[in-house]
Amino acid sequence: MSTPASLLPEYEAWMERVRATYDAMTYTCHHRLGNRRLAEQVSAQVLAGLLAKPKVFRYFGLPYSGRIARLAEARLAEAREGRLADVGSWPELLRGLTGLPLEHQEVLVLTCVRGEDDGQLASNLGCDAHTASLRRRSTMEYMRGLAACALPPANPSEVDEPSSDG
């Protein structure tokens, strides 16, 4: 799939991981629910839950799959009971991620993929630690806002407290 030239290479690679995660979740949820539309809705909400706390993307294996499982099992139960909220969609999330401003792409990769702290972030961004911290917080807030489009209202288990960094 071709992407706009405005995506940083490392961000584009991260986007491939996000797409693969969505595809795998949709496949698995479709198998468990027997309903493609519900599977896509569950998968979009699970992915939104990951995006609301994007530092999970620095992990692989159990920390990553464990978070997916926790989010997915709750949504699968809601879907089976007919209580799954009909909010957001994968295309909407994908548009938001594809349109992420370059300054947020850079910070997301450095903090949520590479796992850099504010000192390392400052060094890579060529700024002081305070400015790096502000930029990191701004990116985390942007990601929470992007995720909110596909999360049911008032779902504190997926959205950090305002003072948290995700």
Side-chain angles (χ1 to χ4, degrees):
M1 166 181 269
S2 90
T3 53
S6 62
L7 296 182
L8 298 173
E10 280 187 89
Y11 181 78
E12 190 171 0
W14 174 79
M15 287 279 300
E16 285 304 314
R17 181 180 184 194
V18 170
R19 284 184 191 101
T21 299
Y22 173 80
D23 290 342
M25 284 189 308
T26 300
Y27 176 83
T28 302
C29 291
H30 182 227
H31 175 72
R32 290 190 55 193
L33 294 170
N35 181 312
R36 180 80 179 172
R37 191 194 73 70
L38 277 178
E40 290 171 351
Q41 189 66 41
V42 166
S43 299
Q45 289 183 26
V46 170
L47 193 53
L50 296 175
L51 295 173
K53 294 182 177 182
K55 287 185 179 181
V56 72
F57 288 103
R58 76 178 115 182
Y59 302 109
F60 289 85
L62 288 177
Y64 185 69
S65 60
R67 175 117 170 98
I68 291 169
R70 187 176 68 76
L71 294 168
E73 289 304 323
R75 290 305 188 291
L76 286 165
E78 291 171 1
R80 281 190 206 103
E81 295 165 6
R83 299 182 299 110
L84 185 68
D86 190 13
V87 294
S89 68
W90 169 241
E92 188 176 4
L93 284 172
L94 188 57
R95 275 191 303 277
L97 290 170
T98 303
L100 192 72
L102 288 172
E103 63 270 13
H104 290 309
Q105 290 178 33
E106 183 176 30
V107 171
L108 183 97
V109 166
L110 293 172
T111 61
C112 300
V113 176
R114 291 189 191 174
E116 294 185 0
D117 62 26
D118 285 350
Q120 295 166 313
L121 183 62
S123 177
N124 278 311
L125 296 176
C127 62
D128 60 63
H130 177 72
T131 301
S133 176
L134 291 174
R135 287 192 58 189
R136 177 185 43 77
R137 287 184 200 152
S138 175
T139 296
M140 296 304 110
E141 185 62 31
Y142 192 97
M143 295 303 291
R144 282 189 292 271
L146 192 151
C149 77
L151 290 174
N155 202 337
S157 68
E158 278 113 24
V159 181
D160 291 340
E161 296 297 319
S163 62
S164 180
D165 297 328

